[in-house]
Amino acid sequence: MSTSTVSAAATPTRHPFERRVEENKPSKTDINTVIMDYLIKEGYPDSARKFAMEANIKQKPDDESIRTRVEIKHAIQSGNIQSAIEKINELNPEILDLDSTLHFALLRLQLIELIRDCSSDASPENVSQAITFATQQLSPRASTSKAFLEDLQQTMALLVYPGDTLTPQMSELLKPSLRGEVADRVNQAILRRQGQSVEAKIKEWVRARAWAEKEARASHKDVPANLKLVLDGDDEDEESDDGMNGNGDAMIT
Amino acid sequence: MGNGGFDRSQEPHFFIPSYLKGTRHAERLLKAHKSRLRSRTTESAKSATSTGGTNSLSTSSSSINLHQKMVPSHRGMTHDIIEKAPTPIYEDAVAQLPSCWNRNDKWAGLEIEGGGLEVIYRGASKTHVDEAAAVRSDRPMPRECGIYYFEITIMSKGKENKPSLVSIGFSGPKVILSRLPGWEPNSWAYHGDDGNTFNCTASGRPYGHKYNTSDVIGCGVNFRTGEAFFTRNGHYLGTAFTDIKAVDLYPSVGMKKPNEHLRVNFGQSPFCFEIDSLVEAERRETMDLISSMPVTGLCPPLNETQLIHQLIAQYLAHDGYIDTARAFAEEVRQENKNLTYNIPGSDSEASKDLEPEEDVDAIQRQKIRASILDGDIDRALKLINIYYPTVLSANEPIYFKLRCRKFIEMIRHCAELSDSPSPITSKNNTSSDSYNGVFSHQMELDESNGFEDGMDTSDDLSNSAIGGVGIGLDGNQTFGNSSSNGNSEGNGFLGYGDLMNKTLEYGRELKDEFDGDGRGSSISVRKTLEDTLALIAYSDPREGPLRALLDVEGRIPIAEELNGAILVSLGKSSSSSLERLFAQTDVLLSECGADGSAGALINLRSI
């Protein structure tokens, strides 16, 4: 759209690569589209609504279709797997019926949540609840696949080992990132089932950035040694609280 | 771009083959083409000016005037003034596609017809086994395409009832043309008489069918893999050559018998073979590599989700989307809270919460943007002069665009008024009713009277003679010396005639300001001015040839350009990290794709 740049003249000492970067700015429409796409696909309904207003985007987000996905996402992220499974089946039972791997991942996460309850309160009820769940829900499925079986065995070991003797691989299972990962997979499965493209465009942009740099360096292209991504201030640790207030003038020429 | 793989609306020779549509190279070609057209118009405009006896000074002397007049601003201004100068350099940098056979690069006896696409052998029959006549295309196949493909139709294989002695392939620029392509070093081809392929040597290898009259033979080169393939009547025949490393390879055909007649399709017409799917499959292969690329190295210690959250939050703050930034920070915070729920000691594992920027600049910038997006240019100018008084004088082109936009908005308004039987205007002329809700304090700055000159006014904002009147209209009404017109002071509703007068008056003012003082001699400024002012000539400009100017979408680039200029004036980067990421990736992909390797087919804009 707007191809004109508002930047001041480039200083001659700059790497030609930087000059080309200046000339290759995307249009705001491209950027706004990609942001809207992320907010909708990844389920940030408030932000999407506000953004449609502030950026004057004609296509308003469809609240209804986001809401269910957001509810499911939140349920998984906060460890409420039972409720998530019910909501998914309410939406479309085929999502889990036709994807046994995803279903198993959810059930195993549910088991992990039950085991987590045991570690805070190792009462016999809690432990037996976890074991019952494992034998009823996961064992029958584990017999169908070697990968499932390994996953189940590793998970059950959590019950036996005390917290401080876990292998790194096992302690990964207890981290919040597993919840996030399963939530992402479910979200994608729902999008796929709704016939939408699954990956948010901005993810592909970020990955393409990493990939293209790797390729360019591998073929010895003339690329600056250090391609900075975040340009607000040199101290990246301050980046989040500093936003645009950083000493951006270092970057302005 | 058109449907049939090429665009008829452009000049006759410009086309984009269907399989290249949406690729970065196609974008480059299109951009170069447009720039070529533009520089052509500019040149004719230039000559018209110099011969037309107008009183304009030569460009150089007028720009000196300009400097004298505009000295207070920085060097940035001169840069901006010449920013729209024609850039013919650009097209040279873009590797153009082959478009026809080269009349100056053929062997005797070959004749070129059919708009440069057909070649016929009219010479004597080449009886000696080594002799032939070949021709090359006007340009080499650009490696930047990633994959290049063309098709040859055998119109006639000559009179003799013998296998066609035609060779279809490609060769380097120096390969001798008295031999069939494929026989010589640096040439590769598929021969019709025996169905063999020839890989820089006179001895062929069995490959496919012989070919005959009315067969369509396709030839494709994949620059990433260094492989070439052929197709026959829409069927893929498999890899013919590997390890092709040469640069500057030209499509080439050779023949030996009188009246052998071939026609080439470089993509001007739809292809017989489904080349689009093949290219798409190739693109997907690379996309799969990209999709599985870890990004943790980009900005450690951030993982992918954290990085994306930071990029989005920074963009929202940078561009002044304050409400969205707040909502996003809150939703991410909630998400982090969920993720660590019931997981003791895991706070450090979760994403950092986002801290939305709450600075006054962001709010001010958003107000200005809101005004422009609403079409209320007066309000925007006023706000700019209050908050960022130096920005407009340092960015003359933006000031000019805003002033023109105001005229456009007035025209819009006139056109809308003429529609409605009663002169009562809606509160908000067209778009974005929702917009006013964004800031409850939007109207706290009441419009004032007597806004005379966007450059140097510092109006008394407490003057609220027209409180609460619709946006846009009151601006129109108060522009200029409303007292001298003496009409409807304090009244928000103007009749069509009044408004039209106002518009005309403003148009004159606009012309005087920008056309009369040397600035107008910049070709692009004059052109814009002429186009803009010409709107008044149409009884309903929304239907006229200039209707694109009236599009409300046109407000967006001005708003964004201004926002960038304000950021620069504040010592901040004019672009956000996300925009930089995009631009960096685009350039990196160009670097990778320049020699046809992976990346040539990846276009971020169409991911």
Side-chain angles (χ1 to χ4, degrees):
Chain A
M1 199 155 222
S2 164
T3 51
S4 54
T5 55
V6 290
S7 60
T11 51
T13 51
R14 266 164 119 199
H15 194 287
F17 184 91
E18 289 298 333
R19 188 180 47 76
R20 288 174 62 197
V21 166
E22 276 299 309
E23 289 165 358
N24 264 281
K25 296 253 197 70
S27 75
K28 295 288 175 182
T29 318
D30 284 343
I31 295 276
N32 287 354
T33 308
V34 156
I35 288 190
M36 196 57 160
D37 169 75
Y38 182 82
L39 297 177
I40 291 174
K41 277 198 187 125
E42 301 292 314
Y44 299 95
D46 283 353
S47 310
R49 219 170 16 249
K50 293 264 167 46
F51 193 57
M53 259 198 279
E54 278 191 302
N56 213 6
I57 293 174
K58 280 179 190 147
Q59 189 200 344
K60 303 287 182 258
D62 175 5
D63 284 349
E64 199 52 44
S65 82
I66 304 180
R67 192 187 303 138
T68 320
R69 279 192 293 114
V70 171
E71 283 172 9
I72 293 168
K73 178 178 92 165
H74 286 173
I76 299 172
Q77 285 177 341
S78 49
N80 193 349
I81 312 301
Q82 187 59 40
S83 148
I85 291 177
E86 282 161 17
K87 286 190 168 86
I88 297 167
N89 286 334
E90 217 169 283
L91 183 68
N92 185 345
E94 286 194 346
I95 291 169
L96 295 181
D97 285 354
L98 299 180
D99 190 344
S100 58
T101 313
L102 184 63
H103 198 178
F104 187 83
L106 267 170
L107 292 170
R108 186 179 69 141
L109 184 57
Q110 192 171 0
L111 175 61
I112 290 170
E113 298 298 340
L114 290 169
I115 292 172
R116 207 194 304 280
D117 290 342
C118 299
S119 65
S120 57
D121 171 16
S123 65
E125 300 89 72
N126 275 353
V127 174
S128 83
Q129 199 188 359
I131 292 173
T132 311
F133 183 81
T135 49
Q136 288 183 351
Q137 297 291 328
L138 284 119
S139 300
R141 292 168 209 271
S143 59
T144 65
S145 147
K146 195 160 173 281
F148 289 178
L149 186 62
E150 280 169 13
D151 281 351
L152 177 59
Q153 287 168 346
Q154 200 186 34
T155 312
M156 291 307 284
L158 290 173
L159 260 182
V160 186
Y161 289 87
D164 48 0
T165 60
L166 295 178
T167 64
Q169 206 182 3
M170 283 163 69
S171 55
E172 278 299 312
L173 296 177
L174 292 171
K175 286 186 178 166
S177 51
L178 184 68
R179 289 175 173 179
E181 191 188 302
V182 175
D184 277 352
R185 284 171 62 186
V186 168
N187 188 48
Q188 295 191 349
I190 299 172
L191 286 171
R192 198 177 295 119
R193 182 91 353 216
Q194 291 172 344
Q196 303 196 43
S197 71
V198 165
E199 288 286 24
K201 288 192 185 73
I202 195 171
K203 289 190 182 175
E204 302 289 19
W205 279 17
V206 171
R207 292 167 192 167
R209 166 67 176 72
W211 180 83
E213 184 177 353
K214 187 194 69 162
E215 287 285 310
R217 295 204 189 283
S219 48
H220 307 290
K221 303 287 183 194
D222 186 16
V223 174
N226 180 20
L227 265 187
K228 280 199 72 133
L229 195 60
V230 178
L231 43 126
D232 309 318
D234 300 321
D235 188 356
E236 286 174 7
D237 291 333
E238 281 180 23
E239 186 257 327
S240 67
D241 50 38
D242 218 352
M244 267 314 297
N245 284 330
N247 50 345
D249 40 10
M251 254 56 63
I252 310 291
T253 50
Chain B
M1 273 172 254
N3 293 329
F6 63 107
D7 193 342
R8 285 175 201 277
S9 68
Q10 303 291 339
E11 62 174 4
H13 297 303
F14 185 76
F15 64 94
I16 298 283
S18 57
Y19 62 92
L20 288 180
K21 272 205 245 172
T23 62
R24 275 176 307 113
H25 195 63
E27 280 179 3
R28 279 192 290 266
L29 289 166
L30 195 66
K31 200 168 158 189
H33 175 67
K34 282 183 178 160
S35 133
R36 195 162 49 234
L37 287 183
R38 206 167 37 236
S39 67
R40 215 169 280 166
T41 9
T42 315
E43 266 158 38
S44 57
K46 235 184 230 162
S47 57
T49 323
S50 53
T51 57
T54 62
N55 61 353
S56 80
L57 302 159
S58 78
T59 315
S60 55
S61 63
S62 57
S63 61
I64 290 167
N65 288 346
L66 179 71
H67 282 240
Q68 286 162 347
K69 187 174 171 66
M70 298 298 295
V71 168
S73 64
H74 322 130
R75 66 196 157 84
M77 192 199 69
T78 37
H79 166 76
D80 284 332
I81 288 289
I82 53 168
E83 163 193 76
K84 287 284 169 151
T87 49
I89 315 111
Y90 191 80
E91 64 183 277
D92 300 331
V94 175
Q96 301 284 321
L97 301 169
S99 69
C100 61
W101 297 122
N102 187 345
R103 289 170 204 279
N104 301 317
D105 197 18
K106 67 177 175 65
W107 196 249
L110 289 178
E111 284 182 16
I112 299 197
E113 294 178 3
L117 299 179
E118 291 177 28
V119 55
I120 304 166
Y121 184 59
R122 302 242 192 249
S125 187
K126 299 279 186 192
T127 46
H128 192 280
V129 71
D130 282 350
E131 284 183 323
V135 63
R136 272 185 289 265
S137 62
D138 57 343
R139 301 185 189 111
M141 306 182 272
R143 301 179 73 89
E144 293 92 327
C145 293
I147 292 178
Y148 185 81
Y149 182 78
F150 64 98
E151 282 180 353
I152 305 281
T153 304
I154 320 294
M155 312 288 283
S156 161
K157 62 167 180 165
K159 281 176 187 160
E160 297 156 66
N161 193 19
K162 284 185 182 166
S164 154
L165 270 172
V166 170
S167 161
I168 295 171
F170 46 91
S171 68
K174 298 214 168 77
V175 177
I176 189 164
L177 292 165
S178 61
R179 306 260 291 151
L180 286 181
W183 286 346
E184 291 290 307
N186 217 21
S187 74
W188 294 260
Y190 170 30
H191 287 197
D193 58 332
D194 52 13
N196 288 351
T197 52
F198 290 75
N199 179 356
C200 308
T201 162
S203 57
R205 290 173 48 181
Y207 175 68
H209 291 81
K210 299 169 186 176
Y211 48 84
N212 264 308
T213 304
S214 80
D215 278 346
V216 178
I217 305 299
C219 173
V221 181
N222 182 331
F223 292 102
R224 180 178 71 86
T225 58
E227 294 176 351
F229 61 90
F230 292 93
T231 66
R232 182 170 159 271
N233 299 328
H235 295 289
Y236 182 72
L237 299 179
T239 300
F241 311 116
T242 56
D243 216 22
I244 300 166
K245 293 202 177 95
V247 290
D248 279 357
L249 291 172
Y250 293 74
S252 180
V253 292
M255 46 194 97
K256 294 184 77 154
K257 302 291 176 197
N259 295 320
E260 282 175 335
H261 180 179
L262 309 177
R263 181 182 169 83
V264 69
N265 176 9
F266 287 125
Q268 291 100 331
S269 318
F271 287 111
C272 186
F273 172 65
E274 277 273 347
I275 181 67
D276 298 15
S277 330
L278 186 140
V279 172
E280 176 59 17
E282 171 84 9
R283 194 189 69 84
R284 272 178 198 282
E285 212 174 288
T286 310
M287 271 314 295
D288 286 346
L289 291 176
I290 290 176
S291 293
S292 57
M293 182 74 198
V295 303
T296 40
L298 280 183
C299 201
L302 301 184
N303 66 27
E304 184 176 278
T305 305
Q306 291 164 336
L307 174 61
I308 289 173
H309 285 170
Q310 293 284 0
L311 285 170
I312 292 180
Q314 197 258 357
Y315 174 78
L316 294 174
H318 181 273
D319 276 47
Y321 298 113
I322 308 153
D323 282 2
T324 314
R326 283 182 201 149
F328 188 61
E330 175 54 28
E331 284 185 316
V332 169
R333 199 187 59 78
Q334 185 59 43
E335 187 168 292
N336 291 341
K337 208 174 130 202
N338 285 342
L339 278 170
T340 53
Y341 171 76
N342 201 21
I343 305 184
S346 62
D347 293 357
S348 59
E349 308 276 348
S351 297
K352 254 191 295 187
D353 285 345
L354 302 167
E355 304 280 343
E357 181 190 28
E358 295 284 350
D359 81 40
V360 64
D361 268 327
I363 295 168
Q364 290 170 355
R365 283 185 288 122
Q366 175 63 333
K367 275 189 202 170
I368 293 169
R369 179 211 314 270
S371 305
I372 296 176
L373 293 183
D374 270 339
D376 190 349
I377 308 300
D378 277 343
R379 185 184 159 78
L381 285 168
K382 201 172 298 177
L383 292 170
I384 299 163
N385 279 309
I386 295 165
Y387 297 140
Y388 309 107
T390 61
V391 165
L392 287 179
S393 52
N395 293 277
E396 176 79 359
I398 299 178
Y399 172 65
F400 173 64
K401 284 178 194 168
L402 280 167
R403 297 272 283 165
C404 286
R405 188 69 209 181
K406 176 180 156 63
F407 183 78
I408 292 169
E409 297 300 338
M410 292 174 90
I411 293 280
R412 277 179 63 80
H413 213 83
C414 287
E416 278 155 16
L417 263 185
S418 69
D419 282 351
S420 54
S422 80
I424 294 169
T425 56
S426 62
K427 180 179 179 295
N428 207 345
N429 21 18
T430 43
S431 66
S432 63
D433 276 290
S434 58
Y435 209 78
N436 288 318
V438 176
F439 288 103
S440 51
H441 44 264
Q442 170 129 5
M443 292 306 290
E444 76 193 12
L445 290 160
D446 282 318
E447 303 301 330
S448 65
N449 259 332
F451 180 58
E452 286 163 11
D453 186 333
M455 288 298 283
D456 51 33
T457 187
S458 53
D459 291 56
D460 175 13
L461 280 177
S462 65
N463 179 353
S464 58
I466 330 171
V469 176
I471 300 179
L473 180 58
D474 48 2
N476 298 338
Q477 190 233 341
T478 57
F479 191 86
N481 297 312
S482 50
S483 52
S484 70
N485 276 288
N487 98 36
S488 55
E489 176 90 15
N491 177 357
F493 304 119
L494 275 179
Y496 175 76
D498 294 331
L499 190 54
M500 205 60 199
N501 282 337
K502 291 278 179 201
T503 308
L504 275 171
E505 192 185 309
Y506 176 70
R508 272 192 291 274
E509 208 173 300
L510 193 60
K511 185 173 176 349
D512 288 348
E513 180 173 352
F514 291 97
D515 206 28
D517 66 353
R519 276 177 289 192
S521 60
S522 152
I523 298 277
S524 71
V525 167
R526 166 165 303 160
K527 177 90 173 68
T528 310
L529 198 55
E530 278 169 4
D531 284 355
T532 308
L533 293 175
L535 281 169
I536 204 118
Y538 299 92
S539 59
D540 188 351
R542 288 167 300 181
E543 301 299 321
L546 295 168
R547 61 181 176 275
L549 283 176
L550 290 178
D551 193 341
V552 291
E553 295 285 313
R555 297 166 182 166
I556 299 172
I558 302 176
E560 300 306 346
E561 200 179 339
L562 176 63
N563 189 53
I566 295 173
L567 284 166
V568 169
S569 80
L570 295 171
K572 297 178 180 179
S573 168
S574 70
S575 55
S576 63
S577 296
L578 181 56
E579 287 165 294
R580 269 186 68 81
L581 175 131
F582 179 97
Q584 285 175 345
T585 313
D586 207 40
V587 177
L588 285 167
L589 285 171
S590 296
E591 285 286 329
C592 299
D595 50 6
S597 62
L601 293 172
I602 303 302
N603 184 355
L604 283 189
R605 287 179 175 86
S606 49
I607 271 181

